Amino acid sequence: MLRLGFRFSGLGRYAVCLTAEGRRPLAPELWDLTGARPRSRVLRSWDGESPASTAVPTDDGAVLLSRAGSGGTHRLLLVVPDRDGTGWSAHDLAAVTGGGLRLVAGRGAGTAALAFRTTPAGGTAVWRLSGRPEPPELVAHVPGPLAGGVWLDPSGSLLALAVPAGSRTRTVVLDLSDGAVSPLPGLDRRERLLLAAPEAGVLLTARETPDGHRLGIRPRDADAPTVFPEQLNAVEGVVTPLALDPAGRRLALAVAAGVRCRAVLYDLAEDGFLEAGPASGTILPMAAWSAGRLRLVHSAPGLPPHVVTVPGPDGGTGRTYAAARCFDGPAGPVEAVVYGDPVAAGRVVLALHGGPESAWRLGYDPLFQRLADEGVAVVAPNQRGSTGYGPAHRDAIRGAWGGPDLADVLHLGRTLTAARATGAAPPLLYGVSYGAHLALLASAAEPGLWSGAAVVAPFLSGRELHADGPPLVRNMLDRLGGCAEIEDDLGPRDLIRLADRLRGPLLVVHGERDATIPVGHSRRLRDRLARAGPGGPELTYVEVPGAGHDPLTGPDGPLVLDRLVAFLRRRCPRRP
């Protein structure tokens, strides 16, 4: 099952996501949070939704839907479930053309949600959606882009928004009563708003410092300075603020360290912590706190993302095949998420994450779960370059893409091969985006170490991606030194130059409309491999029509998933 795009209503009474099971198209799934346990139902539309659709729930239990169409047009719809739970009705509200469109859940009477549309001149038009089957109301026209959205008052009249200001972001307040925009008082230029407790008037901010960001607490209406609690800012791991309780007393945080993630509550008055929520898995970065209940979105191996109540039951159990395990690496331990038994399984897949500034977590992954169900072991390492293990581990590949991280992957491949029985099939490689590039480098560096490779959205080299990638990707390459060359026996990390070294079965998947890594990279690799000499790879090339950077979440996602599973569970050649 696939679930994505979770959103909560303004008062946290309902949540919604887009869901798909098997080969069915995406559809809104509405979660009723008014009882002791979350309950969900799928509002399956006739023609289905795309990953570009956005759904936002109202506090009355309806769903506002922005459906992307052709030519940059967005249709705004109101979907109202029947009271008896057997059906629903859909109402067309408006058709919006040009520019991006995003929805923010509303708060208070008369504002079920706000719609933000980028105008041709670069400004932002703000529309109010009442939650009734009537056209939206234009409430403001603001010069420049707006992002985020944090409600500041119980009545839902004041909304804090983020405005880009050079390399920083400043916080402004939109007054819906007159459409005026003004700075949020009390914040300095290095400070931005993250969360608010509107009833209590308590704000959570983040202040930029030379060592990173510090979390601060301040009142909304007072002139008192922001306080940066030492205990709050001494938490080890990657900290993601989730929600403030309505009384402004407690702050819910997701704390990730390595592959593990846990939910904790910070008491603002006592300056102390309390463990809360599911003990394992992953906490997604969205939450709602109302009526004495904290609602989180939790995922675990064997369990797709779902809404849970804290404190309270975890909403169900699932098949759990995964665990965290450390392997010896050439420069220190490498932690990995491991599905099944990589020593005894008939096939084992070494899976490499994208990024490179990313990491595998103990969360639900449809591909890994499918493979585990069919007896294929998966080892998903957080090699050097991954986040969550400190600056030295993360920054080890700055100016050396395909250097220390490639050494970790090759070392782990040799370790897995040595641990398996004599004659067992060697590991297969799987990678996405940067992980796809790294997997192909590993395949070229030691062709005899692997049974084959399946990659999704690979790029040819850092320099080639810098030449034709989008601005955000070029900025990342500049920041992390992704275009630097490495001088060693393997030579430049360019897959066109290394194509003759690739061996074995190879599956390349790329979305036709990938806006992050142009599909031309995979096409050029395909054409180069077609000219390879005898003994070259057995190439299967799959270009997914209309798909973006992650073809597993598009309309053809189930078919792509089936193709990957079939390739990775195929009969592998045994080792001599």
Side-chain angles (χ1 to χ4, degrees):
M1 174 179 286
L2 174 68
R3 287 183 177 138
L4 50 88
F6 272 89
R7 303 285 188 92
F8 288 91
S9 63
L11 297 178
R13 294 170 55 84
Y14 291 86
V16 73
C17 66
L18 295 178
T19 186
E21 187 168 6
R23 297 187 180 183
R24 288 185 169 184
L26 288 168
E29 183 176 7
L30 181 65
W31 296 73
D32 185 343
L33 309 180
T34 57
R37 297 175 65 95
R39 294 174 292 122
S40 72
R41 56 179 291 202
V42 178
L43 310 176
R44 195 165 300 285
S45 57
W46 182 259
D47 51 354
E49 304 300 330
S50 75
S53 297
T54 302
V56 170
T58 74
D59 281 308
D60 295 328
V63 175
L64 288 161
L65 188 65
S66 170
R67 179 180 291 174
S70 60
T73 301
H74 294 260
R75 287 177 57 203
L76 284 172
L77 298 96
L78 175 68
V79 182
V80 183
D82 297 340
R83 291 184 180 274
D84 60 7
T86 59
W88 49 269
S89 58
H91 307 272
D92 267 298
L93 304 182
V96 180
T97 59
L101 183 74
R102 68 183 185 94
L103 300 177
V104 172
R107 185 184 179 94
T111 306
L114 295 179
F116 294 79
R117 180 179 72 88
T118 304
T119 65
T124 304
V126 185
W127 304 78
R128 188 201 313 266
L129 302 170
S130 66
R132 297 184 293 272
E134 57 188 22
E137 171 197 2
L138 181 65
V139 294
H141 195 289
V142 181
L146 297 174
V150 177
W151 292 104
L152 297 177
D153 64 325
S155 65
S157 298
L158 302 176
L159 182 68
L161 295 157
V163 177
S167 60
R168 292 192 172 94
T169 300
R170 63 187 180 94
T171 303
V172 299
V173 180
L174 171 64
D175 190 335
L176 296 183
S177 64
D178 57 9
V181 175
S182 59
L184 179 64
L187 302 188
D188 67 27
R189 62 186 181 86
R190 296 172 296 169
E191 195 174 359
R192 60 189 177 91
L193 180 67
L194 298 181
L195 298 171
E199 292 84 355
V202 175
L203 308 182
L204 176 73
T205 69
R207 184 175 183 178
E208 184 181 348
T209 72
D211 298 326
H213 288 84
R214 290 179 62 81
L215 297 177
I217 307 293
R218 62 170 293 108
R220 178 170 67 88
D221 296 324
D223 294 330
T226 304
V227 176
F228 299 91
E230 289 299 326
Q231 291 292 333
L232 177 59
N233 287 285
V235 178
E236 294 185 1
V238 179
V239 178
T240 303
L242 298 173
L244 281 162
D245 78 323
R249 170 70 184 259
R250 290 174 294 172
L251 168 65
L253 303 166
V255 180
V259 303
R260 298 171 177 84
C261 183
R262 70 189 197 279
V264 300
L265 302 181
Y266 170 73
D267 191 307
L268 277 65
E270 299 293 335
D271 193 23
F273 291 93
L274 174 68
E275 293 282 343
S280 63
T282 296
I283 308 297
L284 276 64
M286 67 281 295
W289 206 329
S290 63
R293 294 189 179 99
L294 172 63
R295 311 287 192 178
L296 304 175
V297 181
H298 173 244
S299 171
L303 194 63
H306 62 296
V307 181
V308 299
T309 302
V310 178
D314 66 4
T317 59
R319 306 177 307 276
T320 302
Y321 293 94
R325 176 179 167 186
C326 280
F327 293 85
D328 290 334
V334 175
E335 190 177 35
V337 177
V338 179
Y339 286 71
D341 186 346
V343 175
R347 288 166 297 281
V348 58
V349 175
L350 186 62
L352 308 179
H353 64 72
E357 288 185 318
S358 183
W360 294 118
R361 306 290 185 200
L362 272 172
Y364 180 75
D365 188 290
L367 174 61
F368 297 169
Q369 192 66 61
R370 281 276 301 275
L371 293 172
D373 287 342
E374 302 196 23
V376 179
V378 179
V379 177
N382 286 332
Q383 68 278 350
R384 280 177 285 179
S386 305
T387 56
Y389 301 89
H393 191 87
R394 180 197 64 209
D395 297 338
I397 66 167
R398 284 181 178 265
W401 285 24
D405 49 357
L406 178 60
D408 288 348
V409 170
L410 295 174
H411 186 91
L412 186 51
R414 300 184 203 110
T415 299
L416 293 174
T417 299
R420 290 167 62 76
T422 301
L428 295 109
L429 285 160
Y430 169 74
V432 178
S433 193
Y434 181 83
H437 176 73
L438 187 58
L440 292 175
L441 290 180
S443 182
E446 293 193 28
L449 187 58
W450 317 100
S451 292
V455 296
V456 179
F459 60 89
L460 296 174
S461 69
R463 291 190 175 185
E464 293 291 339
L465 186 57
H466 194 280
D468 56 14
L472 286 176
V473 172
R474 294 200 301 270
N475 291 341
M476 180 185 68
L477 285 158
D478 290 336
R479 178 170 56 86
L480 300 181
C483 296
E485 296 286 7
I486 297 177
E487 298 296 334
D488 60 10
D489 293 340
L490 183 61
R493 274 38 173 184
D494 186 321
L495 296 178
I496 294 295
R497 299 185 185 184
L498 297 172
D500 288 333
R501 298 175 61 108
L502 296 174
R503 296 290 185 272
L506 174 60
L507 172 64
V508 177
V509 179
H510 212 128
E512 176 198 15
R513 298 184 181 179
D514 191 337
T516 302
I517 298 176
V519 68
H521 283 240
S522 286
R523 291 174 180 171
R524 290 169 59 191
L525 180 60
R526 173 200 61 192
D527 296 343
R528 174 63 181 84
L529 291 175
R531 302 192 302 270
E538 174 193 332
L539 174 65
T540 302
Y541 178 76
V542 178
E543 188 170 308
V544 186
H549 189 55
D550 184 3
L552 283 167
T553 62
D556 293 323
L559 298 176
V560 177
L561 179 61
D562 289 346
R563 195 67 175 268
L564 287 169
V565 171
F567 180 90
L568 292 171
R569 74 180 181 193
R570 65 187 294 175
R571 191 172 192 83
C572 300
R574 296 176 66 83
R575 191 174 38 166

